[in-house]
Protein backbone atom coordinates (compact mmCIF):
# COMPACT_ATOMS: atom_id res chain seq x y z
CA UNK A 1 0.00 0.00 0.00
CA UNK A 2 1.02 3.67 0.00
CA UNK A 3 2.08 3.68 3.69
CA UNK A 4 5.51 2.00 3.17
CA UNK A 5 6.28 4.46 0.36
CA UNK A 6 5.51 7.44 2.64
CA UNK A 7 7.64 6.07 5.48
CA UNK A 8 10.47 5.24 3.07
CA UNK A 9 10.31 8.77 1.67
CA UNK A 10 10.38 10.20 5.21
CA UNK A 11 13.42 8.07 6.03
CA UNK A 12 15.15 9.22 2.87
CA UNK A 13 14.41 12.85 3.69
CA UNK A 14 15.88 12.46 7.20
CA UNK A 15 18.89 10.64 5.77
CA UNK A 16 19.39 13.27 3.09
CA UNK A 17 19.19 16.07 5.65
CA UNK A 18 21.88 14.42 7.78
CA UNK A 19 24.12 13.81 4.77
CA UNK A 20 23.56 17.37 3.54
CA UNK A 21 24.66 18.73 6.91
CA UNK A 22 27.79 16.59 6.75
CA UNK A 23 28.46 17.68 3.16
CA UNK A 24 28.13 21.34 4.15
CA UNK A 25 30.52 20.74 7.06
CA UNK A 26 32.93 19.06 4.65
CA UNK A 27 32.83 22.08 2.30
CA UNK A 28 33.38 24.44 5.24
CA UNK A 29 36.33 22.40 6.56
CA UNK A 30 37.90 22.17 3.10
CA UNK A 31 37.55 25.90 2.55
CA UNK A 32 39.10 26.67 5.94
CA UNK A 33 41.94 24.23 5.27
CA UNK A 34 42.57 25.73 1.81
CA UNK A 35 42.66 29.24 3.25
CA UNK A 36 45.03 28.14 6.01
CA UNK A 37 47.37 26.41 3.53
CA UNK A 38 47.43 29.54 1.36
CA UNK A 39 48.36 31.78 4.31
CA UNK A 40 51.93 32.43 5.53
CA UNK A 41 50.95 31.01 8.96
CA UNK A 42 50.49 27.48 7.58
CA UNK A 43 54.09 26.47 8.40
CA UNK A 44 54.04 27.92 11.95
CA UNK A 45 53.46 25.72 15.00
CA UNK A 46 49.84 26.79 15.63
CA UNK A 47 49.16 26.68 11.88
CA UNK A 48 50.42 23.09 11.62
CA UNK A 49 48.34 22.04 14.63
CA UNK A 50 45.25 23.72 13.19
CA UNK A 51 45.72 22.06 9.78
CA UNK A 52 46.17 18.66 11.49
CA UNK A 53 42.94 19.21 13.44
CA UNK A 54 41.06 20.24 10.28
CA UNK A 55 42.39 17.23 8.36
CA UNK A 56 41.25 14.95 11.19
CA UNK A 57 37.76 16.45 11.23
CA UNK A 58 37.60 16.26 7.44
CA UNK A 59 38.67 12.60 7.44
CA UNK A 60 35.94 11.84 9.99
CA UNK A 61 33.27 13.54 7.85
CA UNK A 62 34.53 11.77 4.69
CA UNK A 63 34.46 8.41 6.50
CA UNK A 64 30.90 9.05 7.68
CA UNK A 65 29.71 9.99 4.17
CA UNK A 66 31.52 7.04 2.59
CA UNK A 67 29.99 4.61 5.10
CA UNK A 68 26.54 6.20 4.73
CA UNK A 69 26.55 6.35 0.93
CA UNK A 70 28.06 2.87 0.52
CA UNK A 71 25.28 0.55 1.77
CA UNK A 72 22.60 2.98 0.61
CA UNK A 73 23.81 2.87 -2.98
CA UNK A 74 23.47 -0.95 -2.99
CA UNK A 75 19.84 -0.91 -1.84
CA UNK A 76 17.19 -1.08 -4.60
CA UNK A 77 15.62 2.35 -4.99
CA UNK A 78 12.05 2.57 -6.33
CA UNK A 79 12.14 5.30 -8.93
CA UNK A 80 8.47 6.26 -9.38
CA UNK A 81 7.49 7.22 -5.79
CA UNK A 82 10.76 9.10 -5.23
CA UNK A 83 10.29 11.20 -8.35
CA UNK A 84 6.99 12.49 -6.92
CA UNK A 85 8.86 14.10 -4.02
CA UNK A 86 11.28 15.92 -6.32
CA UNK A 87 14.29 14.68 -4.33
CA UNK A 88 17.74 15.17 -5.79
CA UNK A 89 19.20 11.98 -4.34
CA UNK A 90 18.43 10.42 -7.73
CA UNK A 91 20.56 13.06 -9.46
CA UNK A 92 23.21 11.74 -11.84
CA UNK A 93 24.61 15.26 -12.27
CA UNK A 94 27.91 16.08 -10.52
CA UNK A 95 29.02 19.60 -9.63
CA UNK A 96 32.80 19.84 -10.05
CA UNK A 97 34.53 22.75 -8.31
CA UNK A 98 38.17 23.87 -8.07
CA UNK A 99 38.82 23.17 -11.74
CA UNK A 100 42.23 24.52 -12.68
CA UNK A 101 42.33 26.68 -15.81
CA UNK A 102 44.13 23.88 -17.68
CA UNK A 103 41.00 21.70 -17.69
CA UNK A 104 39.10 21.33 -20.98
CA UNK A 105 35.81 19.54 -21.61
CA UNK A 106 37.74 16.92 -23.62
CA UNK A 107 40.03 16.25 -20.66
CA UNK A 108 37.04 16.02 -18.31
CA UNK A 109 35.42 13.52 -20.67
CA UNK A 110 38.60 11.43 -20.66
CA UNK A 111 38.90 11.36 -16.86
CA UNK A 112 35.22 11.02 -15.88
CA UNK A 113 34.21 8.52 -18.57
CA UNK A 114 36.54 5.98 -16.91
CA UNK A 115 33.72 5.48 -14.38
CA UNK A 116 30.65 5.23 -16.63
CA UNK A 117 28.63 6.61 -19.53
CA UNK A 118 28.92 10.41 -19.54
CA UNK A 119 25.89 12.05 -21.17
CA UNK A 120 26.97 15.71 -20.87
CA UNK A 121 29.87 17.89 -19.75
CA UNK A 122 29.90 21.64 -19.20
CA UNK A 123 32.67 23.91 -17.90
CA UNK A 124 31.44 27.24 -16.53
CA UNK A 125 34.14 29.62 -17.70
CA UNK A 126 34.69 32.95 -15.85
CA UNK A 127 32.47 35.81 -17.02
CA UNK A 128 34.20 38.70 -15.30
CA UNK A 129 37.61 39.81 -14.00
CA UNK A 130 36.78 38.88 -10.42
CA UNK A 131 36.06 35.28 -11.42
CA UNK A 132 39.20 35.19 -13.61
CA UNK A 133 41.33 36.38 -10.69
CA UNK A 134 40.27 33.34 -8.68
CA UNK A 135 42.21 31.24 -11.20
CA UNK A 136 39.72 28.37 -11.18
CA UNK A 137 36.53 27.27 -12.91
CA UNK A 138 33.69 24.94 -12.06
CA UNK A 139 31.62 22.60 -14.17
CA UNK A 140 29.03 19.83 -14.37
CA UNK A 141 29.36 16.21 -15.47
CA UNK A 142 26.27 14.08 -15.96
CA UNK A 143 26.25 10.28 -16.00
CA UNK A 144 23.68 7.85 -17.33
CA UNK A 145 23.13 6.21 -13.91
CA UNK A 146 23.37 7.30 -10.29
CA UNK A 147 25.75 4.43 -9.46
CA UNK A 148 28.24 5.56 -12.13
CA UNK A 149 28.08 9.13 -10.80
CA UNK A 150 28.62 7.88 -7.22
CA UNK A 151 31.68 5.90 -8.33
CA UNK A 152 33.20 8.88 -10.16
CA UNK A 153 32.51 11.14 -7.17
CA UNK A 154 34.13 8.68 -4.74
CA UNK A 155 37.22 8.20 -6.94
CA UNK A 156 37.83 11.79 -8.10
CA UNK A 157 36.67 14.00 -5.20
CA UNK A 158 39.80 15.54 -3.64
CA UNK A 159 42.08 14.22 -6.39
CA UNK A 160 44.88 16.61 -7.34
CA UNK A 161 45.01 17.87 -10.94
CA UNK A 162 47.30 20.74 -11.99
CA UNK A 163 48.05 21.46 -8.31
CA UNK A 164 44.37 21.85 -7.33
CA UNK A 165 42.14 19.26 -5.64
CA UNK A 166 38.77 18.67 -7.30
CA UNK A 167 35.71 19.38 -5.15
CA UNK A 168 32.81 17.22 -6.28
CA UNK A 169 29.25 17.35 -4.99
CA UNK A 170 25.80 16.60 -6.32
CA UNK A 171 24.30 19.01 -8.82
CA UNK A 172 20.60 19.51 -9.44
CA UNK A 173 18.95 16.56 -11.16
CA UNK A 174 18.38 17.08 -14.88
CA UNK A 175 16.92 14.65 -17.39
CA UNK A 176 19.60 12.39 -18.82
CA UNK A 177 19.99 12.33 -22.58
CA UNK A 178 21.08 9.20 -24.44
CA UNK A 179 24.70 8.27 -23.73
CA UNK A 180 27.20 8.00 -26.55
CA UNK A 181 27.07 4.20 -26.24
CA UNK A 182 23.26 4.16 -26.55
CA UNK A 183 23.35 6.27 -29.71
CA UNK A 184 25.84 3.88 -31.32
CA UNK A 185 23.80 0.82 -30.38
CA UNK A 186 20.59 2.39 -31.64
CA UNK A 187 22.08 3.13 -35.06
CA UNK A 188 23.05 -0.56 -35.40
CA UNK A 189 19.48 -1.83 -34.94
CA UNK A 190 17.51 -0.99 -38.12
CA UNK A 191 15.31 -4.08 -37.64
CA UNK A 192 13.54 -2.33 -34.74
CA UNK A 193 12.15 0.31 -37.11
CA UNK A 194 11.43 -2.16 -39.94
CA UNK A 195 9.67 -4.77 -37.77
CA UNK A 196 6.08 -3.43 -37.92
CA UNK A 197 6.34 -2.68 -41.69
CA UNK A 198 7.51 -6.22 -42.46
CA UNK A 199 4.60 -7.61 -40.44
CA UNK A 200 2.20 -5.30 -42.29
CA UNK A 201 3.41 -6.54 -45.71
CA UNK A 202 2.72 -10.15 -44.69
CA UNK A 203 -0.85 -9.29 -43.79
CA UNK A 204 -1.68 -7.17 -46.85
CA UNK A 205 -2.32 -10.02 -49.35
CA UNK A 206 -4.93 -11.54 -46.98
CA UNK A 207 -6.65 -8.22 -46.28
CA UNK A 208 -6.69 -6.93 -49.84
CA UNK A 209 -7.45 -10.12 -51.80
CA UNK A 210 -10.73 -9.50 -53.69
CA UNK A 211 -13.55 -11.97 -53.01
CA UNK A 212 -13.95 -14.79 -55.59
CA UNK A 213 -16.10 -13.87 -58.59
CA UNK A 214 -15.74 -10.08 -58.11
Amino acid sequence: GPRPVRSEAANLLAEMKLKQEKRELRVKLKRELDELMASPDSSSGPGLMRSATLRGQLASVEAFLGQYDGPNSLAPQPSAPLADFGLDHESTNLYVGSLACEWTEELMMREFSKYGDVTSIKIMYPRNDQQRMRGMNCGFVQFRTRKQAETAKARLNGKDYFGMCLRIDWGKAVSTGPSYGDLTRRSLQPHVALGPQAHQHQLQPHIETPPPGA
Side-chain angles (χ1 to χ4, degrees):
R3 194 175 301 164
V5 174
R6 269 205 301 273
S7 87
E8 186 177 346
N11 290 341
L12 282 167
L13 280 169
E15 185 182 303
M16 282 179 63
K17 187 180 176 195
L18 183 61
K19 284 200 286 188
Q20 186 58 33
E21 286 170 1
K22 292 288 185 182
R23 286 195 184 112
E24 286 169 4
L25 177 61
R26 179 177 63 186
V27 170
K28 183 183 166 194
L29 289 169
K30 280 188 175 179
R31 187 178 300 129
E32 195 174 336
L33 187 58
D34 284 352
E35 287 169 0
L36 178 64
M37 297 312 289
S39 76
D41 299 332
S42 62
S43 56
S44 69
L48 289 170
M49 285 179 64
R50 180 67 185 142
S51 68
T53 304
L54 286 169
R55 286 178 201 278
Q57 291 174 330
L58 194 55
S60 170
V61 171
E62 294 280 10
F64 170 87
L65 285 169
Q67 180 186 3
Y68 224 90
D69 285 344
N72 186 47
S73 65
L74 299 175
Q77 307 220 348
S79 53
L82 300 181
D84 294 341
F85 292 90
L87 303 178
D88 272 1
H89 66 269
E90 285 294 296
S91 174
T92 61
N93 195 26
L94 294 176
Y95 166 81
V96 186
S98 295
L99 281 176
C101 298
E102 290 87 348
W103 277 100
T104 63
E105 290 178 354
E106 290 78 13
L107 181 56
M108 287 184 77
M109 168 60 78
R110 195 183 79 192
E111 290 302 305
F112 281 82
S113 63
K114 292 174 184 176
Y115 306 104
D117 294 335
V118 174
T119 58
S120 75
I121 284 181
K122 177 76 174 166
I123 292 180
M124 313 300 287
Y125 291 103
R127 296 180 188 172
N128 56 45
D129 291 339
Q130 187 179 357
Q131 289 177 343
R132 282 188 204 96
M133 283 172 66
R134 288 174 58 208
M136 68 175 89
N137 301 319
C138 64
F140 293 91
V141 179
Q142 188 176 10
F143 283 88
R144 188 166 58 83
T145 70
R146 170 76 175 194
K147 190 149 187 64
Q148 292 170 352
E150 284 176 347
T151 303
K153 181 174 179 290
R155 299 286 176 84
L156 294 176
N157 189 28
K159 192 169 180 181
D160 188 309
Y161 287 93
F162 308 109
M164 295 177 69
C165 295
L166 295 182
R167 290 184 185 174
I168 302 179
D169 219 318
W170 293 107
K172 187 168 182 181
V174 289
S175 62
T176 55
S179 70
Y180 300 113
D182 288 342
L183 289 172
T184 309
R185 282 193 292 275
R186 199 169 299 152
S187 65
L188 295 174
Q189 294 183 329
H191 64 272
V192 174
L194 296 176
Q197 291 172 0
H199 187 58
Q200 196 179 1
H201 287 312
Q202 288 168 7
L203 294 177
Q204 275 173 355
H206 302 288
I207 295 167
E208 295 178 1
T209 302

